[in-house]
Amino acid sequence: MTLADGPHPVGRMIRAAAHGRHPPVDGGWERQPPWRADVFGIVTFTGHAVLCVPQAWSDEALQALAPDGFGGAADPRVIVALAGADGFIDSLDTIFAAPGMLGTPAAPALDARPDLAGHPRARRAAGLRDDVRTYGLPGRDDAVVTLGRGIGGLPELSFELAESARGRGLGGELLCSARTLVGPDDVLIASVSPGNVASTRAVLAAGFAPVAGVQLFRPARR
């Protein structure tokens, strides 16, 4: 998966942060349009926040929420105000990033597994990302990896192991293999809740590094 024309502005910021070029630590915030028509989000870097919201929210209305880059943008009251009491609010996640390794041999090798598209993890991915594809291991249904265009238009993965497959390092191996699906000039991202210690360990073991925080939301349809 490649993005020859470049991703959304926040995707460029995440990609730059993955290469050590971070936004200014100014305590400020900026707005950008959503990268997907029905998914909005607040992306937070060290000392800087980006609100990806539709034009229905004026700059003045956003400023009134005090979404500063020193934690204000991650205030739960901000996300509730934007999503509404009955809107969809995702968990507050850490964005991890790693360079792609297309062409590098990997074990275990991931197979395209369209038969796993009905897996709950794959259905969730399809509701948040575009062009989602599902992968897994040959002859096994206890591991699923998804890859699609996610936050900021970047290649984003998600994964899940059945309980019987956990605890043996397979998660980290799958993530290393997932990196071979993305070109070396791009970055692959994964969003992990800070409380999900097992997945955090897996992404770190696979060479991913934390670059930002994110919380996705979607107001309820009226």
Side-chain angles (χ1 to χ4, degrees):
M1 174 176 291
T2 59
L3 292 166
D5 297 328
H8 178 278
V10 81
R12 292 197 294 270
M13 295 174 74
I14 293 170
R15 178 185 287 169
H19 290 93
R21 303 187 301 273
H22 302 276
V25 184
D26 56 7
W29 66 276
E30 63 183 85
R31 74 177 301 161
Q32 294 290 348
W35 56 84
R36 179 172 165 162
D38 62 345
V39 176
F40 314 139
I42 297 176
V43 179
T44 52
F45 299 88
T46 300
H48 194 80
V50 185
L51 278 63
C52 298
V53 296
Q55 288 298 321
W57 279 88
S58 68
D59 290 349
E60 293 75 17
L62 293 176
Q63 184 63 56
L65 299 176
D68 65 77
F70 291 140
D75 188 318
R77 289 168 292 193
V78 172
I79 203 77
V80 170
L82 293 171
D86 52 355
F88 162 75
I89 298 177
D90 201 6
S91 62
L92 180 63
D93 287 341
T94 300
I95 300 175
F96 292 84
M101 301 191 306
L102 187 67
T104 303
L110 289 172
D111 281 357
R113 291 288 304 271
D115 58 302
L116 296 177
H119 189 283
R121 178 65 58 180
R123 291 202 306 269
R124 175 179 171 79
L128 296 173
R129 302 172 197 127
D130 295 308
D131 304 327
V132 173
R133 290 173 281 172
T134 54
Y135 297 86
L137 300 175
R140 296 175 58 171
D141 294 336
D142 56 359
V144 61
V145 175
T146 76
L147 180 64
R149 286 190 294 110
I151 297 168
L154 293 174
E156 183 173 0
L157 68 83
S158 65
F159 73 105
E160 187 167 323
L161 299 178
E163 187 172 354
S164 60
R166 298 173 187 170
R168 298 191 294 274
L170 180 59
E173 294 174 357
L174 290 176
L175 294 174
C176 285
S177 296
R179 292 178 60 185
T180 68
L181 302 174
V182 175
D185 294 332
D186 212 334
V187 296
L188 177 62
I189 63 171
S191 300
V192 182
S193 169
N196 189 343
V197 176
S199 291
T200 298
R201 288 175 175 169
V203 294
L204 291 173
F208 288 74
V211 294
V214 65
Q215 191 156 30
L216 305 179
F217 67 95
R218 180 189 294 123
R221 293 184 175 87
R222 301 296 183 184

